[in-house]
Short mmCIF file of all heavy atoms in Angstrom, two decimals:
data_model
loop_
_atom_site.label_atom_id
_atom_site.label_comp_id
_atom_site.label_asym_id
_atom_site.label_seq_id
_atom_site.Cartn_x
_atom_site.Cartn_y
_atom_site.Cartn_z
N ALA A 45 -33.88 12.46 13.09
CA ALA A 45 -33.70 12.33 11.65
C ALA A 45 -32.28 12.68 11.23
O ALA A 45 -31.68 11.99 10.39
CB ALA A 45 -34.70 13.23 10.91
N ILE A 248 -19.00 52.19 35.60
CA ILE A 248 -18.44 51.02 36.29
C ILE A 248 -16.93 51.17 36.43
O ILE A 248 -16.36 50.85 37.49
CB ILE A 248 -18.81 49.73 35.54
CG1 ILE A 248 -20.32 49.48 35.65
CG2 ILE A 248 -18.03 48.54 36.08
CD1 ILE A 248 -20.81 48.32 34.81
N HIS A 293 -14.60 35.64 16.05
CA HIS A 293 -15.52 34.73 15.35
C HIS A 293 -16.97 35.11 15.64
O HIS A 293 -17.88 34.30 15.47
CB HIS A 293 -15.24 33.26 15.66
CG HIS A 293 -15.18 32.89 17.11
ND1 HIS A 293 -14.03 32.46 17.72
CD2 HIS A 293 -16.13 32.89 18.07
CE1 HIS A 293 -14.27 32.18 18.98
NE2 HIS A 293 -15.54 32.43 19.22
N LEU A 305 -7.61 37.73 24.60
CA LEU A 305 -7.71 38.46 25.86
C LEU A 305 -6.68 39.57 25.80
O LEU A 305 -5.47 39.31 25.72
CB LEU A 305 -7.43 37.58 27.08
CG LEU A 305 -7.54 38.37 28.39
CD1 LEU A 305 -9.00 38.64 28.72
CD2 LEU A 305 -6.84 37.67 29.53
N LEU A 437 -38.35 35.39 21.48
CA LEU A 437 -37.57 34.89 20.35
C LEU A 437 -36.41 35.84 20.12
O LEU A 437 -36.53 37.06 20.29
CB LEU A 437 -38.44 34.82 19.09
CG LEU A 437 -39.59 33.82 19.15
CD1 LEU A 437 -40.52 34.01 17.96
CD2 LEU A 437 -39.08 32.39 19.22
#
Side-chain angles (χ1 to χ4, degrees):
I248 292 173
H293 53 246
L305 180 75
L437 295 170

